Amino acid sequence: MVVKFRRKSTPSHRGEPSASVDERLVPEERPVPAAPEIGPFDIDSAPEGLITGDWVDLGSMMLAPAPGKELRLQVDEKSGQIAAVMLTAEDGAMELRAFAAPRNGDLWTESLPMLRQDVQQRGGATADLEGPWGAELITQMKVKLPDGQPAVQQTRIIGVNGPRWMLRATMLGRPAMEPSAGKEWEKLLEQVVVRRGTEAKPKGEALEVKLPPNARRVEK
């Protein structure tokens, strides 16, 4: 997997729940979550032997090797912090973001109406979809191609609640439009492992993504 590093302007966080600090959980009292049947997994309940030496460790996320895909880290130009993780290929891409959530909370259900409203207020269209992880959101926004021609960009947004975290995956390109193309990307999402940490964080705060040692900067 090629790891690249590029700059990107600050992404919109509209439509995410307002912050309220969740309770501090004493490390030795942290409950061990039951292992789900499919991922994404919490670091404490990942199947034994799943994580191997060729995985990419990004701090709050660990990703399995993905042949034919590039891993791009989108950086906020103002803060210099990594804002999102992107897996890209010729036919599309998948953006991954992990957020802090309260214990026993359902941040994804809380986020859905806000995301839907944000898209509609910006002139886009939305539709609800039931997928492998439950409720999903399909969005369509009018955009301009590099040659100036108008087009419609469709995205498929998936949310997964974990133990005090929520992972949001946004598919673009063919994976967002064609179910058959999306299956391959769903398999990648199933193998994501989230490392939330034990410290108290505001609800909805993005979990820190760290630069892996083999990353190289690619300017836009």
Side-chain angles (χ1 to χ4, degrees):
M1 178 189 294
V2 178
V3 178
K4 295 188 177 182
F5 191 60
R6 68 174 181 179
R7 290 192 171 274
K8 184 181 174 104
S9 58
T10 305
S12 171
H13 291 277
R14 290 177 298 175
E16 294 173 2
S18 58
S20 61
V21 178
D22 65 353
E23 67 275 21
R24 182 178 296 275
L25 193 64
V26 179
E28 58 268 28
E29 294 181 354
R30 186 182 183 194
V32 177
E37 294 183 2
I38 62 170
F41 299 101
D42 185 81
I43 187 67
D44 290 336
S45 61
E48 185 176 354
L50 176 68
I51 302 172
T52 58
D54 54 355
W55 278 50
V56 179
D57 190 342
L58 299 170
S60 60
M61 278 184 262
M62 300 185 72
L63 306 182
K69 308 290 188 296
E70 287 186 354
L71 174 60
R72 293 178 175 265
L73 306 179
Q74 300 180 340
V75 179
D76 184 290
E77 293 181 345
K78 293 182 179 179
S79 67
Q81 299 297 311
I82 299 172
V85 175
M86 290 281 291
L87 288 170
T88 68
E90 290 185 1
D91 66 339
M94 180 168 66
E95 178 191 84
L96 298 171
R97 294 173 182 265
F99 302 91
R103 195 184 334 173
N104 301 321
D106 186 353
L107 187 59
W108 176 236
T109 297
E110 188 177 342
S111 302
L112 261 174
M114 301 179 189
L115 291 170
R116 190 183 296 113
Q117 182 181 29
D118 177 59
V119 172
Q120 293 171 353
Q121 287 179 342
R122 291 186 288 124
T126 64
D128 296 325
L129 177 70
E130 192 71 16
W133 291 274
E136 300 179 3
L137 187 66
I138 300 295
T139 75
Q140 290 185 338
M141 292 290 296
K142 294 180 180 180
V143 297
K144 281 191 176 181
L145 299 176
D147 61 3
Q149 294 296 314
V152 174
Q153 181 184 65
Q154 180 164 309
T155 67
R156 175 188 172 192
I157 308 176
I158 301 168
V160 184
N161 290 306
R164 300 178 74 224
W165 53 261
M166 186 266 285
L167 182 67
R168 194 174 75 200
T170 303
M171 296 185 187
L172 304 97
R174 287 187 62 227
M177 297 182 291
E178 302 175 16
S180 59
K183 293 296 183 183
E184 176 187 357
W185 296 81
E186 290 175 7
K187 293 295 184 183
L188 297 177
L189 180 58
E190 287 178 6
Q191 296 190 76
V192 176
V193 173
V194 179
R195 185 194 286 121
R196 185 240 185 259
T198 58
E199 65 275 18
K201 295 179 182 293
K203 180 178 68 173
E205 178 179 286
L207 301 184
E208 182 182 6
V209 177
K210 297 181 180 179
L211 183 66
N214 59 337
R216 55 190 174 90
R217 184 180 298 276
V218 177
E219 298 292 346
K220 291 179 66 177

